[in-house]
Amino acid sequence: MYAAVEHGPVLCSDSNILCLSWKGRVPKSEKEKPVCRRRYYEEGWLATGNGRGVVGVTFTSSHCRRDRSTPQRINFNLRGHNSEVVLVRWNEPYQKLATCDADGGIFVWIQYEGRWSVELVNDRGAQVSDFTWSHDGTQALISYRDGFVLVGSVSGQRHWSSEINLESQITCGIWTPDDQQVLFGTADGQVIVMDCHGRMLAHVLLHESDGVLGMSWNYPIFLVEDSSESDTDSDDYAPPQDGPAAYPIPVQNIKPLLTVSFTSGDISLMNNYDDLSPTVIRSGLKEVVAQWCTQGDLLAVAGMERQTQLGELPNGPLLKSAMVKFYNVRGEHIFTLDTLVQRPIISICWGHRDSRLLMASGPALYVVRVEHRVSSLQLLCQQAIASTLREDKDVSKLTLPPRLCSYLSTAFIPTIKPPIPDPNNMRDFVSYPSAGNERLHCTMKRTEDDPEVGGPCYTLYLEYLGGLVPILKGRRISKLRPEFVIMDPRTDSKPDEIYGNSLISTVIDSCNCSDSSDIELSDDWAAKKSPKISRASKSPKLPRISIEARKSPKLPRAAQELSRSPRLPLRKPSVGSPSLTRREFPFEDITQHNYLAQVTSNIWGTKFKIVGLAAFLPTNLGAVIYKTSLLHLQPRQMTIYLPEVRKISMDYINLPVFNPNVFSEDEDDLPGDAVRTD
């Protein structure tokens, strides 16, 4: 086999990622009937829980082609927990998501018409040690650290509960493959066995000195109906010579093995909980996290190197790094993946028919591409060349045949959709539309209120992996009018202080909460939502920045007609009405403060213009007209002008496409090509 970390920028959130869970994406039209679900496992959704109490649901894809369509919305940030989210568990048969926080709150989420809402809530007030769905998805097993265990249905009905009197805490709980028994692991090395009705069956001591960290079976997590279609029916099936095989051969007729991991780093492979001669794996790692792949033929064990394995360097001790070891069903070591991660790996999960292994370490998320078969020479060459190249665009510089260049480019296609914006190309990301039709959902919050810097600041964050990535920053510049200047978020600090490419030693500490929400809660849970900014605080009044005029060069009339935006036709201002003219910033201020655009307004705050200030942006970026009735007798209307912004050559970058007289203060008639929202 072969495994390698996916090439590209490090994926990260604004807080520590504490748990992971992945499920395949099945079309809505085929959820109620047997389908070849292996085909749809090439796309899926990754659920993450972080230290800020936010659950992220992000679209993933293992397609090797870039032209595949994606969902219109590919990231959701679900808010509702009051503390850090420690567990996320998908229920694939019922398409639900269970999340648990550190305070014991349990939410069951369901998606309806593109929105996520809380369907069930359970809050006992005690810490949850584990949450596991049954293999058919109809039941849930909840175990608490104080010894209380509960089994309920997927609809929220309680089947039975029990209080287990122990001197130590329960650390994990799982179902047997036939869903007839439940097993609990304890911190003193015991395994407690109960039947599906809550009757105690056995107490077994597995280890006298080590506690049980986790338990699992090399058995599919969920049993779903599947049609008899073959793997080759998939649109993205490719023979081994065309790329890495993402379709492992299922293991047949293998008895399920109970896998128990201990605090010492040892792992026992047992035929049952009372197996007297288990196979013991000496991983040599600490803080281990182990999980079987879906096919049940490969066990991934992630952890940190022990101090005894580390040597000494002339300039000091060698830093510890995380590694992943792979074992087969006989406990034989197959492959070791050395990583440069210097933090413990908190959680791992398999995805995309076991062709991807997702790992969370601190705020960073790593994607490992796994080849189950004997790796081909072509695959080894692809990974060797890709590791020496920094970006995908460097592939075109190589003198290779087009077929090999295309194959080499697949090594840079990210699994997590969308990839996080490159901090070196952040301006291109915010200035020009993306190639696809996906929607990028953002959150805006007030971050500063310092009169010395010119006014209150608002930062626009992109929602990503349950966190927030700053992409734009705005500052109010007028005392009487709602006028703003939009700038790069790296204006007042270095790029690495806002968002870095490394393992984020300094993450965004200013994003403690978010005002927007992708959830629908009942009135009883309205008080638990994140605090919202009041309307009065959204438009503070501070002194206006002094600005100077900058004239555009005169051009022939033909060039002016050519440069005009088709959506902003030339109009004459009304007589006696002051138009919304553009107030120009000095070139030095634009360069020094990384100004991108300016928003001007009339005195009533009903008409706005967006003017480009940066040299690479067109002067006219749009306009907004807001109409309202004094007595609110008719619906309020908003008309938005959005000219298309494209990357153009430098010969046309400074053409005066802005017309200051698009509309005037008392102008009511609108152009016909405007976009109106009610």
Side-chain angles (χ1 to χ4, degrees):
M1 66 159 293
Y2 182 80
V5 179
E6 194 169 78
H7 301 281
V10 177
L11 309 174
C12 50
S13 180
D14 62 351
S15 61
N16 291 335
I17 300 176
L18 305 178
C19 46
L20 301 173
S21 182
W22 186 90
K23 80 171 183 72
R25 180 192 179 208
V26 179
K28 295 181 180 179
S29 60
E30 301 186 6
K31 287 181 180 179
E32 304 299 332
K33 61 182 181 180
V35 296
C36 184
R37 300 207 174 202
R38 295 192 187 97
R39 173 186 301 181
Y40 302 113
Y41 283 179
E42 295 166 351
E43 296 179 351
W45 295 93
L46 174 66
T48 61
N50 60 28
R52 298 188 187 274
V54 181
V55 179
V57 180
T58 307
F59 178 73
T60 65
S61 174
S62 61
H63 293 308
C64 293
R65 297 201 301 266
R66 297 182 183 271
D67 55 350
R68 294 299 296 258
S69 61
T70 59
Q72 194 172 40
R73 183 166 183 180
I74 49 186
N75 186 86
F76 296 86
N77 280 8
L78 311 182
R79 302 171 179 88
H81 287 284
N82 297 323
S83 59
E84 58 185 15
V85 180
V86 295
L87 288 173
V88 289
R89 296 287 188 270
W90 281 110
N91 186 334
E92 186 175 347
Y94 288 86
Q95 298 294 301
K96 296 182 180 182
L97 175 64
T99 60
C100 309
D101 57 36
D103 294 337
I106 302 175
F107 290 0
V108 177
W109 307 78
I110 188 170
Q111 188 179 22
Y112 179 72
E113 294 183 353
R115 293 180 61 87
W116 286 90
S117 59
V118 177
E119 183 186 43
L120 299 173
V121 177
N122 183 18
D123 190 356
R124 182 174 168 268
Q127 290 186 351
V128 179
S129 60
D130 205 353
F131 185 103
T132 309
W133 295 103
S134 60
H135 292 83
D136 58 1
T138 59
Q139 300 182 87
L141 171 63
I142 308 173
S143 55
Y144 295 85
R145 292 189 178 276
D146 59 0
F148 184 81
V149 296
L150 182 147
V151 172
S153 67
V154 67
S155 59
Q157 299 177 353
R158 176 179 295 194
H159 288 175
W160 59 268
S161 61
S162 178
E163 187 81 27
I164 303 177
N165 297 322
L166 295 172
E167 297 180 357
S168 61
Q169 297 179 343
I170 294 179
T171 58
C172 58
I174 61 171
W175 294 85
T176 54
D178 56 1
D179 292 335
Q180 296 301 311
Q181 296 177 353
V182 290
L183 280 66
F184 302 98
T186 65
D188 57 358
Q190 295 186 64
V191 171
I192 301 171
V193 185
M194 304 177 70
D195 65 6
C196 60
H197 302 289
R199 290 187 293 266
M200 187 70 64
L201 297 181
H203 278 251
V204 180
L205 179 63
L206 298 183
H207 209 292
E208 296 180 355
S209 58
D210 295 334
V212 177
L213 284 180
M215 296 187 297
S216 62
W217 298 89
N218 65 332
Y219 193 76
I221 300 177
F222 294 106
L223 300 177
V224 294
E225 293 185 75
D226 200 352
S227 68
S228 58
E229 298 182 31
S230 62
D231 295 336
T232 56
D233 293 335
S234 174
D235 296 335
D236 288 313
Y237 176 79
Q241 62 268 19
D242 290 342
Y247 310 94
I249 300 176
V251 177
Q252 303 290 341
N253 301 325
I254 294 181
K255 185 178 180 180
L257 292 175
L258 174 62
T259 305
V260 184
S261 56
F262 298 95
T263 55
S264 62
D266 295 342
I267 299 174
S268 295
L269 305 182
M270 311 171 64
N271 294 323
N272 205 345
Y273 61 87
D274 56 356
D275 190 355
L276 299 179
S277 57
T279 302
V280 180
I281 298 176
R282 311 289 182 182
S283 65
L285 305 175
K286 64 177 182 178
E287 302 176 5
V288 297
V289 182
Q291 189 176 38
W292 286 99
C293 67
T294 306
Q295 303 294 331
D297 62 337
L298 201 59
L299 175 65
V301 180
M304 298 292 292
E305 292 180 281
R306 290 192 171 276
Q307 195 69 31
T308 56
Q309 296 179 344
L310 305 178
E312 295 288 336
L313 294 178
N315 54 356
L318 182 64
L319 295 177
K320 295 184 295 182
S321 61
M323 61 173 52
V324 184
K325 295 185 177 181
F326 297 90
Y327 300 87
N328 59 15
V329 293
R330 294 179 295 274
E332 300 172 349
H333 178 253
I334 299 178
F335 187 82
T336 299
L337 174 63
D338 295 320
T339 66
L340 301 178
V341 183
Q342 304 298 327
R343 295 187 181 186
I345 296 178
I346 303 300
S347 177
I348 62 174
C349 71
W350 291 87
H352 296 287
R353 299 193 54 205
D354 303 333
S355 64
R356 301 291 189 272
L357 179 65
L358 306 164
M359 307 186 305
S361 176
L365 178 66
Y366 298 89
V367 181
V368 178
R369 298 194 179 189
V370 181
E371 168 63 44
H372 290 246
R373 302 171 181 173
V374 178
S375 55
S376 62
L377 181 60
Q378 189 179 28
L379 173 62
L380 296 177
C381 293
Q382 179 205 49
Q383 294 297 323
I385 297 175
S387 60
T388 59
L389 301 177
R390 293 185 177 182
E391 299 178 353
D392 185 16
K393 61 183 181 181
D394 296 334
V395 177
S396 59
K397 300 178 183 179
L398 303 177
T399 56
L400 293 176
R403 181 181 177 88
L404 293 181
C405 285
S406 177
Y407 173 64
L408 184 58
S409 299
T410 60
F412 295 94
I413 299 178
T415 299
I416 305 295
K417 312 290 183 181
I420 202 164
D422 186 357
N424 299 323
N425 298 323
M426 183 64 73
R427 287 196 168 188
D428 289 350
F429 178 80
V430 300
S431 302
Y432 306 108
S434 59
N437 61 346
E438 63 272 5
R439 295 180 179 178
L440 302 179
H441 286 252
C442 302
T443 294
M444 181 182 293
K445 58 174 300 200
R446 184 168 178 166
T447 55
E448 295 180 15
D449 193 1
D450 188 2
E452 296 181 358
V453 299
C457 294
Y458 302 86
T459 304
L460 184 68
Y461 298 93
L462 173 66
E463 297 185 355
Y464 182 78
L465 288 177
L468 302 175
V469 179
I471 58 177
L472 284 177
K473 189 174 183 179
R475 177 178 292 126
R476 185 165 184 174
I477 58 175
S478 175
K479 186 177 181 180
L480 299 178
R481 305 186 182 193
E483 297 184 345
F484 300 85
V485 61
I486 302 174
M487 66 195 77
D488 196 302
R490 299 173 293 178
T491 298
D492 300 326
S493 59
K494 297 179 180 180
D496 292 339
E497 294 178 359
I498 294 293
Y499 169 73
N501 268 333
S502 61
L503 187 60
I504 302 197
S505 58
T506 56
V507 296
I508 310 165
D509 294 330
S510 61
C511 311
N512 293 326
C513 63
S514 176
D515 302 326
S516 66
S517 179
D518 299 316
I519 64 174
E520 298 174 349
L521 293 176
S522 61
D523 296 337
D524 297 337
W525 289 94
K528 294 188 177 182
K529 296 171 68 175
S530 302
K532 294 187 176 182
I533 300 176
S534 61
R535 290 191 176 183
S537 63
K538 292 184 179 180
S539 56
K541 300 179 180 180
L542 287 176
R544 182 187 305 180
I545 299 176
S546 60
I547 45 184
E548 300 176 0
R550 186 190 69 180
K551 297 183 178 180
S552 301
K554 294 184 177 180
L555 292 178
R557 183 173 181 179
Q560 294 182 6
E561 293 294 333
L562 180 63
S563 63
R564 277 173 43 194
S565 172
R567 298 191 181 181
L568 294 176
L570 182 63
R571 300 179 62 89
K572 295 182 179 180
S574 301
V575 179
S577 175
S579 61
L580 298 183
T581 57
R582 173 185 178 185
R583 299 175 177 87
E584 301 291 347
F585 288 90
F587 180 76
E588 293 77 8
D589 290 347
I590 296 176
T591 305
Q592 179 182 359
H593 299 287
N594 295 329
Y595 291 158
L596 300 179
Q598 177 190 358
V599 180
T600 62
S601 169
N602 60 358
I603 191 65
W604 306 106
T606 59
K607 298 181 181 181
F608 302 87
K609 289 180 181 177
I610 307 174
V611 181
L613 299 179
F616 59 89
L617 288 177
T619 309
N620 179 21
L621 292 178
V624 178
I625 299 179
Y626 182 76
K627 287 189 175 182
T628 180
S629 173
L630 181 62
L631 300 178
H632 298 282
L633 299 179
Q634 61 183 4
R636 289 169 287 183
Q637 295 179 345
M638 181 184 299
T639 305
I640 304 175
Y641 301 87
L642 292 177
E644 187 175 2
V645 179
R646 297 180 180 179
K647 278 190 176 182
I648 57 179
S649 62
M650 295 304 297
D651 296 336
Y652 298 94
I653 198 70
N654 292 320
L655 289 179
V657 296
F658 175 74
N659 177 20
N661 299 321
V662 174
F663 52 79
S664 59
E665 292 282 348
D666 57 353
E667 185 179 18
D668 292 331
D669 52 339
L670 304 173
D673 55 355
V675 179
R676 172 171 294 177
T677 60
D678 296 336

